[in-house]
């Protein structure tokens, strides 16, 4: 199983993903491909994401049962903790003072 989620992706990339994968919700694409094909699709996403961001997850033979990778800017950052891939949240960007 392969899942790709994109945010703020260019229409050209979304159309390209829809050729390979089924878009089950806006920006959420699923399919079932080999490792080689998955890597080629992910290379396309990384090359065309622009100002957006994306995450890919796929089935794997590890304790979690899946692996994932990300690209683009997002508050969610993958981290490795004793061999487990987890997600850390960056602090929100500073907001300008109000009432000035």
């Amino acid at each position: 199983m392969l899942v790709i989620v994109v945010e703020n992706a260019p229409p050209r990339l979304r159309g390209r993903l829809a050729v390979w994968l089924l878009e089950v919700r806006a920006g959420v694409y699923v399919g079932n491909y080999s490792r080689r094909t998955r890597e080629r699709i992910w290379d396309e996403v990384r090359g065309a994401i622009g100002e957006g961001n994306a995450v890919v997850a796929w089935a794997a033979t590890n304790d979690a049962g899946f692996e994932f990778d990300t690209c683009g800017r997002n508050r969610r950052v993958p981290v490795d903790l004793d061999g487990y891939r987890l997600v850390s949240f960056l602090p929100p960007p500073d907001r300008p003072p109000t009432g000035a």
Side-chain angles (χ1 to χ4, degrees), residues 10-100:
R12 180 174 178 257
L13 174 59
R14 293 181 61 144
R16 194 90 167 122
L17 286 171
V19 169
W20 295 310
L21 305 164
L22 178 63
E23 187 173 13
V24 295
R25 290 279 191 269
V28 180
Y29 300 86
V30 297
N32 192 15
Y33 288 100
S34 68
R35 178 190 57 83
R36 183 176 177 183
T37 303
R38 178 189 74 237
E39 289 172 355
R40 292 187 74 183
I41 293 170
W42 187 238
D43 286 343
E44 290 274 340
V45 171
R46 285 193 314 229
I49 195 64
E51 296 296 316
N53 65 75
V55 61
V56 60
W58 64 93
T61 55
N62 60 18
D63 289 340
F66 67 93
E67 288 282 345
F68 70 97
D69 194 10
T70 63
C71 68
R73 295 182 60 172
N74 193 297
R75 287 185 55 212
R76 294 169 183 88
V77 180
V79 294
D80 184 30
L81 183 65
D82 293 331
Y84 289 98
R85 299 248 353 230
L86 302 174
V87 177
S88 175
F89 288 83
L90 297 175
D94 291 334
R95 294 183 184 176
T98 58

